[in-house]
Amino acid sequence: MHDPRIDTLANVLLDHSCELKKGETILIEAIDLPEPDLVVALVEGAAKRGATPLVELKNQRIQRAVYANATEEGMKLAGGLERARMEKVQAYIGVRGAANASALKGIPAERMDLYQEHWLRHVNDYRVPKTKWVVLRYPTDSFAQAADMPTHEFTDFFFDVCTADYAAMGEAQKPLVARMQAADRIKITAPGTDLEFSIKDIPVIPCSGERNIPDGEVFTAPVRDSINGVIRFNTPSRYQGIVFTDITFTFKDGKIVEATSSDTERINQLLDSDEGARYCGEWAIGTNNRVRHPMLDTLFDEKIGGSFHLTPGNAYDEADNGNRSRIHWDLVLIQRADYGGGEMYFDGELVRKDGFFVPDDLQGLNEGL
């Protein structure tokens, strides 16, 4: 039986996220979806709007074989071909439904570096600034397991979160955007964390369903050499198929000078990928209060109500602090009381305590928390 929530989600993606117009071309890329209903709805929906849909279906097992046997020549060729196709479209929807979230675990780091540098980054350097794009996950058994929920409950949660009232979310974010635009010094405290940095003169970007589904964050970037102190992330993170926990960074003048985790050797290999990997390209505050607990998926975890994320690696063009890297790794710290609490200050003013915003003009962001 067809689930009508799929049609609702397709409409959000086509109309709100991509603002698809007649005469445009849209690339729909799907990886390991358990069934084709969403892709079919997107194709039919794009055609009804007078657009031309292109579809690319990928399989993670096949992609693993490609990455594990990567050569520089092969990655440059694949990246060049996908970049050329991306340059022909005006919109992009990427849907990931990985059957095994650890499918890439064990691939040598140097092979993944080839993919990151010559394929993924080459394509994304065009897609991110030049197309109307959105990426999302799709509910699967493994995804539900990572969220520690039965599949049917997780599926209900997924559609509830992904089809939120993004217009209302955008309105609630406006006072936070204004405060961040006016701020210079940020101070953050939490168990094992005492961090300071500047966001002065870096653009501030609200996110309410345009590029990620689910959405709910306001992001900027630290001034590249301004971060000092220690941060201990209390949320596990999966990167290149490996789950890292107990991640702790020590910063000096913007650079991660010490990094430890459940796999200290591997995390330092990642941070040594290039010169920019030990500097941060993004700082963002999560504002989606329907997402409350981590599920080892960045698209959800970085939006958690009462959280923020800090990102070693590449900065976005929209909020550019000049840092360039082949990696972009969003790491999440939840400051709600049930995760140990914490405080956030803008220029000495307490803005958030234990995950709750304190000033009167930010109370709308506490709804549902």
Side-chain angles (χ1 to χ4, degrees), residues 286-323:
T287 65
N288 191 327
N289 296 335
R290 299 186 184 194
V291 187
R292 299 186 58 79
H293 303 289
M295 57 188 73
L296 281 175
D297 187 277
T298 299
L299 283 179
F300 279 74
D301 295 352
E302 67 180 1
K303 314 303 191 314
I304 290 172
S307 77
F308 70 86
H309 56 275
L310 186 65
T311 307
N314 201 55
Y316 288 121
D317 289 345
E318 304 98 311
D320 195 0
N321 69 352
N323 198 46

Side-chain angles (χ1 to χ4, degrees), residues 244-248 259-268 329:
F244 295 86
T245 60
D246 302 318
I247 299 172
T248 302
T260 60
S261 75
S262 55
D263 190 339
T264 295
E265 180 180 1
R266 180 65 178 131
I267 202 170
N268 280 281
W329 188 6

